[in-house]
Amino acid sequence: MSDEKVDTDNSIYIGDKPFMNYVTGVVIQFTTKEAKEVIIKARGKFISRAVDIAEVASKRFMKDQIKVKDILIDSEEFQNKEGREVRVSIIEIVLTRI
Amino acid sequence: MSDEKVDTDNSIYIGDKPFMNYVTGVVIQFTTKEAKEVIIKARGKFISRAVDIAEVASKRFMKDQIKVKDILIDSEEFQNKEGREVRVSIIEIVLTRI
């Protein structure tokens, strides 16, 4: 394993920081950190945002350099503060170099 | 249901109607209308909702009967009222019988 593999997890978790923070994060992973793949991950209401970030990164900032390789959706169940079972959707968008 | 654009191509467009309307729409397509595939489509902020609906339909209401076969994301560009170019993300989630 090469030194670059020290940073094993090229995942970017989408939350409510400014939109461009995440797009820049994707670009830095592919450029400065020379990642072969970047995985954009989000839960619940942030899923729409994750798709926006994947689209803007792959169609504008790194057009013809990266593409969407795979998209996975799933659910997580957990107990909320009142002890009720709650289901939340998750998405993982795998971006890869072209 | 007849008002919604679900008839010809088994597509269900997600908007701001009650959540269960859409889940029921998916179930009806697979049961009463005997569709082999149903495509859940959404734009912008409704993308998170589309994922929720796909998850609830496939993991709860039609568990072990349908599954996510394919997920596609893309962008559409159009001019807004002020004449500015606007980009909006879209998602299509293809559900199929198991």
Side-chain angles (χ1 to χ4, degrees):
Chain A
M1 289 289 160
S2 66
D3 286 326
E4 279 97 300
K5 283 275 178 181
V6 170
D7 200 42
T8 46
D9 190 11
N10 302 321
S11 298
I12 293 179
Y13 295 83
I14 308 306
D16 52 12
K17 287 182 194 163
F19 186 83
M20 281 307 298
N21 285 26
Y22 300 108
V23 177
T24 308
V26 171
V27 173
I28 286 171
Q29 283 287 327
F30 277 114
T31 55
T32 316
K33 301 202 177 180
E34 297 178 331
K36 292 203 176 77
E37 284 187 358
V38 173
I39 308 174
I40 297 174
K41 299 182 178 180
R43 296 164 54 136
K45 67 175 179 177
F46 294 114
I47 287 174
S48 304
R49 214 155 190 241
V51 173
D52 285 339
I53 289 156
E55 284 294 300
V56 169
S58 62
K59 302 256 168 80
R60 196 181 304 165
F61 285 85
M62 295 195 74
K63 188 166 154 61
D64 301 326
Q65 298 173 74
I66 63 169
K67 64 173 182 179
V68 174
K69 181 189 171 192
D70 207 7
I71 305 169
L72 182 138
I73 63 172
D74 203 353
S75 302
E76 280 176 5
E77 303 235 345
F78 63 96
Q79 287 205 336
N80 68 4
K81 279 172 275 182
E82 292 80 35
R84 262 188 49 203
E85 275 306 299
V86 180
R87 195 201 59 76
V88 66
S89 301
I90 59 169
I91 196 167
E92 295 188 6
I93 304 170
V94 183
L95 299 172
T96 189
R97 292 180 184 280
I98 289 177
Chain B
M1 291 304 300
S2 56
D3 289 345
E4 298 195 3
K5 294 193 281 181
V6 293
D7 288 337
T8 49
D9 66 349
N10 305 328
S11 296
I12 293 179
Y13 295 83
I14 307 307
D16 54 11
K17 288 183 190 164
F19 186 83
M20 281 306 298
N21 285 27
Y22 300 109
V23 177
T24 309
V26 172
V27 174
I28 286 172
Q29 283 288 324
F30 277 114
T31 56
T32 316
K33 301 205 177 179
E34 297 179 330
K36 292 204 176 76
E37 284 186 0
V38 173
I39 308 174
I40 297 173
K41 299 182 179 181
R43 294 164 55 134
K45 66 175 179 175
F46 294 114
I47 287 174
S48 304
R49 222 163 181 231
V51 173
D52 286 339
I53 288 156
E55 283 295 301
V56 168
S58 63
K59 302 257 168 80
R60 196 182 303 166
F61 285 85
M62 296 196 73
K63 187 165 153 65
D64 301 327
Q65 298 172 74
I66 63 169
K67 64 173 182 180
V68 173
K69 181 189 171 188
D70 208 8
I71 305 168
L72 183 139
I73 64 172
D74 202 353
S75 302
E76 280 176 6
E77 303 234 344
F78 63 96
Q79 287 203 338
N80 68 4
K81 280 172 275 183
E82 290 81 38
R84 260 188 51 204
E85 280 300 302
V86 180
R87 195 201 58 77
V88 64
S89 301
I90 60 168
I91 195 167
E92 296 189 4
I93 303 170
V94 183
L95 299 172
T96 189
R97 292 180 184 280
I98 290 177

